[in-house]
């Protein structure tokens, strides 16, 4: 059984479109995250939710809006997509604070053309 | 200066070699240190975590933390072609939800 699953795996879309990425975890973790990995493999946190409450909101354009309907799900909606949004987006989860690491999903490769 | 520095490589070694991967950091408040392995087109996978200074061993992998030098290492003994991946160090202060990642070192182990 997949612990952290994201859909879709690949997303190719035109500039200006709106798209969503979904994430679900079956680990019973309290905290979920969205990370962005650029072409140089650098992972940067975007958002974090703990028990459905937004606790980290990094300097991310407000075109990006996370939503956590319950503590097992965290979705990411992106409005007015730009070329610079092309990256791999990873969902992750941890049991409360991530001192002992995250469990990552397999990523969503977003390409904006 | 980035909070966590990691040489991106690539690092190429023959099968059976001992591999040493390293990160330096600037924030002396970091207390939790992690290593992740990421295969191509996959998500990062937690390999090991350590708290504060010292060594931790798990099979062929040893993680080492030297807080006085702000330096952490991951050693891989008897490296295998299946170890070929990008290795990311990560660290956190503890008590918060933020983890800072290094840029990752790309490792190739040649058969």
């Amino acid at each position: 059984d997949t612990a952290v699953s994201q859909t879709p795996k690949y997303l190719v879309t035109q500039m200006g479109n709106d798209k969503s990425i979904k994430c679900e975890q079956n680990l019973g973790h309290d905290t979920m995250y969205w990370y962005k990995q650029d072409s140089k493999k650098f992972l940067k946190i975007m958002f974090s939710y703990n028990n459905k409450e937004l606790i980290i909101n990094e300097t991310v354009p407000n075109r990006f809006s996370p939503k956590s309907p319950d503590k097992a799900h965290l979705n990411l909606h992106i409005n007015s997509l730009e070329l610079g949004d092309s990256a791999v987006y990873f969902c992750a989860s941890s049991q409360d604070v991530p001192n002992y690491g995250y469990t990552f999903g397999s990523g969503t490769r977003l390409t904006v053309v | 200066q980035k909070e966590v520095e990691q040489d991106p490589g690539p690092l190429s070694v023959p099968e059976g070699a001992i591999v040493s991967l390293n990160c330096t950091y600037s924030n002396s408040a970091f207390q939790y240190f992690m290593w992740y392995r990421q295969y191509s087109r996959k998500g990062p996978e937690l390999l090991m975590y350590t708290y504060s200074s010292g060594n931790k061993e798990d099979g062929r992998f040893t993680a080492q933390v030297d807080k006085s030098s702000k330096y952490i290492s991951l050693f891989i003994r008897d490296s295998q072609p299946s170890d070929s991946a990008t290795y990311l160090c990560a660290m956190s202060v503890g008590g918060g939800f933020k983890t800072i990642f290094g840029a990752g070192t790309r490792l190739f182990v040649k058969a």
Side-chain angles (χ1 to χ4, degrees):
Chain A
D1 263 350
T2 305
V4 179
S5 58
Q6 308 180 216
T7 53
K9 283 181 78 72
Y10 299 96
L11 193 48
V12 181
T13 188
Q14 290 189 322
M15 277 175 53
N17 282 352
D18 304 338
K19 290 292 177 187
S20 291
I21 308 171
K22 297 188 176 200
C23 179
E24 176 181 3
Q25 56 96 1
N26 62 5
L27 297 165
H29 285 170
D30 293 326
T31 311
M32 295 184 74
Y33 310 81
W34 279 112
Y35 272 87
K36 180 180 180 181
Q37 189 171 49
D38 61 24
S39 56
K40 294 186 177 178
K41 295 283 195 182
F42 189 65
L43 266 171
K44 192 164 182 202
I45 193 164
M46 300 173 69
F47 301 103
S48 176
Y49 274 77
N50 176 254
N51 282 312
K52 302 195 297 172
E53 185 183 336
L54 182 65
I55 51 168
I56 294 177
N57 185 353
E58 287 296 286
T59 313
V60 175
N62 57 15
R63 298 181 294 103
F64 290 78
S65 52
K67 199 164 192 175
S68 182
D70 56 60
K71 74 175 196 175
H73 295 84
L74 179 62
N75 304 323
L76 183 66
H77 188 76
I78 317 170
N79 288 326
S80 304
L81 277 153
E82 300 177 357
L83 293 176
D85 298 331
S86 296
V88 182
Y89 293 84
F90 285 102
C91 178
S93 71
S94 69
Q95 184 55 54
D96 199 28
V97 294
N99 296 337
Y100 307 116
Y102 302 105
T103 302
F104 281 90
S106 55
T108 296
R109 187 170 293 270
L110 172 66
T111 304
V112 183
V113 297
Chain B
Q1 184 194 5
K2 287 183 183 167
E3 274 190 287
V4 179
E5 299 275 4
Q6 185 176 10
D7 186 338
L11 178 62
S12 185
V13 300
E15 184 175 358
I18 296 175
V19 175
S20 171
L21 303 164
N22 312 294
C23 288
T24 57
Y25 61 94
S26 57
N27 186 350
S28 57
F30 285 142
Q31 294 198 80
Y32 295 87
F33 304 91
M34 290 141 273
W35 286 95
Y36 289 83
R37 177 175 61 197
Q38 186 175 19
Y39 290 116
S40 182
R41 300 199 169 242
K42 299 285 187 185
E45 168 198 10
L46 180 68
L47 275 177
M48 300 181 73
Y49 66 84
T50 51
Y51 170 68
S52 195
S53 281
N55 292 0
K56 187 173 182 179
E57 193 173 315
D58 184 359
R60 297 185 295 113
F61 298 89
T62 299
Q64 215 169 64
V65 175
D66 182 349
K67 288 193 75 181
S68 61
S69 303
K70 298 194 187 73
Y71 188 87
I72 69 169
S73 301
L74 178 71
F75 298 96
I76 308 174
R77 288 183 298 282
D78 187 25
S79 55
Q80 304 294 309
S82 59
D83 295 327
S84 299
T86 297
Y87 290 80
L88 300 132
C89 64
M91 43 199 84
S92 69
V93 169
F97 293 92
K98 209 173 190 180
T99 300
I100 307 298
F101 282 83
T105 299
R106 194 139 187 228
L107 172 67
F108 294 97
V109 181
K110 296 178 290 186

